[in-house]
Amino acid sequence: MVKLQNVILVSENMERSFAFYNKALGLELKFRDGDKWIQFDADGSSFALAAPEEVSNHKQGSFPVFEVSDLDKVKENLELAGADVSITRNMGTHGKTATIIDPDGNVFQLFMRTF
């Protein structure tokens, strides 16, 4: 199963971005991993800020995150189809991610819950 789990913006200044989206837009903090990742609740949808090192060479803009039930299998299928898996990360009890670059250079992530 694959579903749209999140939309992410890359931020060069996590504190400034957190203040902007939290205070100016009123988004409620859902989860934070130091200066690497900030996730907000947007009325039941997820919106996140990520430091550049969390998303390969993707420096600005936004990209989707797809939630999957079997991260390794989906990564393997994507690699066979010509995608580059540039970063994988185990976030402990929260989940695992993989940053993917498609054949056209577009970035997206896969997320698998581990709880």
Side-chain angles (χ1 to χ4, degrees):
M1 177 180 157
V2 176
K3 72 174 186 175
L4 184 63
Q5 193 266 348
N6 205 343
V7 173
I8 297 172
L9 287 180
V10 178
S11 174
E12 296 283 340
N13 185 324
M14 296 293 278
E15 286 306 317
R16 179 184 64 208
S17 295
F18 172 76
F20 176 81
Y21 287 100
N22 178 248
K23 292 182 173 79
L25 198 53
L27 294 176
E28 182 181 328
L29 179 66
K30 191 172 181 179
F31 173 79
R32 183 166 186 164
D33 184 6
D35 288 333
K36 293 182 177 186
W37 184 270
I38 299 170
Q39 189 160 324
F40 296 100
D41 177 49
D43 194 27
S45 296
S46 292
F47 168 74
L49 301 168
E53 64 268 16
E54 289 290 300
V55 292
S56 186
N57 293 323
H58 192 77
K59 296 292 184 192
Q60 291 183 318
S62 61
F63 59 92
V65 178
F66 297 100
E67 186 171 335
V68 298
S69 56
D70 186 339
L71 185 66
D72 291 331
K73 181 164 180 54
V74 176
K75 278 179 13 184
E76 181 181 323
N77 290 342
L78 289 166
E79 288 173 324
L80 290 171
D84 173 30
V85 179
S86 61
I87 297 175
T88 57
R89 184 165 178 246
N90 186 336
M91 298 180 297
T93 59
H94 183 68
K96 296 179 181 180
T97 64
T99 300
I100 312 295
I101 301 171
D102 76 11
D104 290 320
N106 298 303
V107 174
F108 65 94
Q109 278 190 335
L110 302 174
F111 171 76
M112 183 180 82
R113 294 182 190 278
T114 54
F115 55 92

